[in-house]
Amino acid sequence: MAGPLFLAAGLTQGLPRDGFDFTRNALSQLSLGDLGWIQITAFLLTGLFVIGGARAIRQALRDTPGGTWAPRLLGAFGASFLVAGVFRADPGAGVPTGAPEDRVTSLSAHGTVHMMAGTVGYLALCAAFLVLARHFAAHRQRGGALAARLMPVGVLAGFAASATTVAAFTAGAGLGLIGLSAVTARLTVATSPVRR
């Protein structure tokens, strides 16, 4: 639920918000202004859902390759959303209304913590995908292993292209969240006991 929730919250807020432009503004900036509490709530719920998913994956992968580090790394990713929800992004690129039209060039203390939380969190997610690739490979699930290896490439490519457009950053982050939702569903459904 974490990925779809966060992305849906961002899209439904960003589309009607005056001055918000997906090519110039990060979803994090939706936590600014009068309606910022909605995005802050989305950050916090996403973090809690990711941490819950990490616990479920720990149960699903118990005593298998990746069963120790994948949940830890995913827990760190979830915690990064909690931190990013508390320490908001800096205003800029016209958001919130009245903010300078230029992109943010220098970060405040809370903006720095927000940015660092996201950076550490998404690096942890990329590492978790690589650990999960090992799990899939050990279970001869070649498609899952390949997808888990390619996911960090897509996430990092989006982040690298963010210097050109913020939409690339959003796409990379969204890919990571949707990929995590797919992997979590695959792992937890595959190992759930069948009820009769």
Side-chain angles (χ1 to χ4, degrees), residues 56-150:
I57 288 176
R58 184 179 67 195
Q59 294 295 323
L61 300 187
R62 182 176 287 161
D63 301 325
T64 66
T68 300
W69 278 102
R72 289 178 183 174
L73 291 163
L74 293 175
F77 180 57
S80 76
F81 274 84
L82 299 178
V83 173
V86 173
F87 295 90
R88 295 183 296 171
D90 286 321
V95 174
T97 302
E101 287 298 321
D102 297 334
R103 287 179 73 172
V104 177
T105 54
S106 61
L107 297 174
S108 66
H110 62 86
T112 300
V113 173
H114 181 90
M115 183 72 74
M116 291 304 298
T119 301
V120 170
Y122 271 94
L123 288 175
L125 176 64
C126 289
F129 278 128
L130 296 176
V131 171
L132 290 169
R134 180 175 168 242
H135 169 82
F136 289 129
H139 288 84
R140 294 191 172 93
Q141 297 176 13
R142 291 184 180 137
L146 178 61
R149 288 185 184 115
L150 291 176

Side-chain angles (χ1 to χ4, degrees), residues 13 17 30-41 88:
Q13 292 178 85
R17 177 90 56 107
L30 291 169
S31 52
L32 305 170
D34 294 340
L35 297 176
W37 64 270
I38 299 171
Q39 190 65 15
I40 291 169
T41 302
R88 295 183 296 171

Side-chain angles (χ1 to χ4, degrees), residues 10-33:
L11 287 173
T12 56
Q13 292 178 85
L15 290 172
R17 177 90 56 107
D18 277 345
F20 191 88
D21 180 348
F22 286 98
T23 64
R24 298 179 62 222
N25 301 109
L27 293 181
S28 295
Q29 291 181 300
L30 291 169
S31 52
L32 305 170

Side-chain angles (χ1 to χ4, degrees), residues 21-25 93 103 156-170:
D21 180 348
F22 286 98
T23 64
R24 298 179 62 222
N25 301 109
R103 287 179 73 172
L156 295 174
F159 286 14
S162 66
T164 305
T165 175
V166 176
F169 174 83
T170 304

